[in-house]
Amino acid sequence: GCHIMLDVSASMSFGGNYRAAGGAEAPAISKYEYGCYLAASLAYFASQQRDATGLILFDSEIRERIPARMRRGQLMRILHTLDQTKPGKTTDVAGALEKLAALLHRRGVIVLISDFYEQPERVSAALQRLRFGGNDLILFHLLDPLELEFNLDEPALLEDLETGDRLEVNPE
């Protein structure tokens, strides 16, 4: 089966603005919204291949789990769950992967969609555990363009979406 895992932590709600034609600022979709589109597309493709497909939404815990099944209405159940969920708490990618490893009894494909704001060593160790179980892993690392090209022209107050911590930054 195919297990689609989507990070629904608060950091996934980030989405900056981009320049539209003519130079005007236009709203961008958040990493979470992009992740939902990606998860929905993958679920659709898997259902067209007649693969058992499931969905796991997680932040610091597993928030929602639809076991991988190949039954009528499974795609609509996955799409409805994606539509109803909102991002919320802190990230614990490694913890969610460890919990998933304990739940899986058959080998399959695990698709992980996240911004991976987590200690790389913890994530790597959890991924190895899933690979040792014979699973195939596909990782989608979602980042907003502002996270890749961080340009500040004037002083700003930055706030961590998960902890609420604030930091004053002066570009000079």
Side-chain angles (χ1 to χ4, degrees):
C2 176
H3 304 275
I4 301 168
M5 294 186 69
L6 176 62
D7 183 345
V8 296
S9 62
S11 66
M12 291 288 286
S13 66
F14 181 75
N17 292 327
Y18 64 91
R19 297 275 176 203
E25 277 199 1
I29 65 171
S30 69
K31 293 183 287 185
Y32 172 73
E33 291 167 316
Y34 190 92
C36 284
Y37 297 144
L38 178 57
S41 299
L42 293 170
Y44 172 78
F45 289 133
S47 71
Q48 292 299 301
Q49 293 285 97
R50 302 207 184 277
D51 288 336
T53 307
L55 177 69
I56 297 167
L57 304 179
F58 71 94
D59 47 27
S60 57
E61 297 288 330
I62 292 178
R63 294 288 160 211
E64 197 74 44
R65 179 174 180 248
I66 300 173
R69 296 218 163 71
M70 190 177 62
R71 66 178 185 194
R72 192 177 180 134
Q74 182 78 345
L75 177 61
M76 291 309 293
R77 187 174 175 201
I78 289 171
L79 296 178
H80 178 74
T81 301
L82 288 169
D83 185 52
Q84 296 300 309
T85 306
K86 302 289 181 242
K89 297 186 180 180
T90 58
T91 309
D92 186 1
V93 177
L97 290 172
E98 288 162 5
K99 289 175 181 144
L100 175 64
L103 294 172
L104 294 179
H105 303 296
R106 283 186 258 157
R107 291 184 291 191
V109 175
I110 298 170
V111 178
L112 178 57
I113 304 167
S114 177
D115 56 11
F116 292 100
Y117 282 137
E118 172 80 79
Q119 294 297 322
E121 302 79 23
R122 288 193 67 217
V123 174
S124 181
L127 290 172
Q128 287 302 324
R129 182 172 175 202
L130 286 172
R131 290 208 50 208
F132 288 142
N135 297 293
D136 293 320
L137 302 175
I138 301 170
L139 309 178
F140 287 93
H141 188 190
L142 302 187
L143 292 174
D144 187 88
L146 284 177
E147 293 172 313
L148 295 171
E149 296 177 18
F150 192 70
N151 295 325
L152 276 180
D153 300 339
E154 54 193 48
L157 179 64
L158 303 178
E159 182 177 343
D160 186 314
L161 291 172
E162 295 187 0
T163 65
D165 292 346
R166 294 179 177 201
L167 177 66
E168 289 184 32
V169 176
N170 188 336
E172 294 177 6

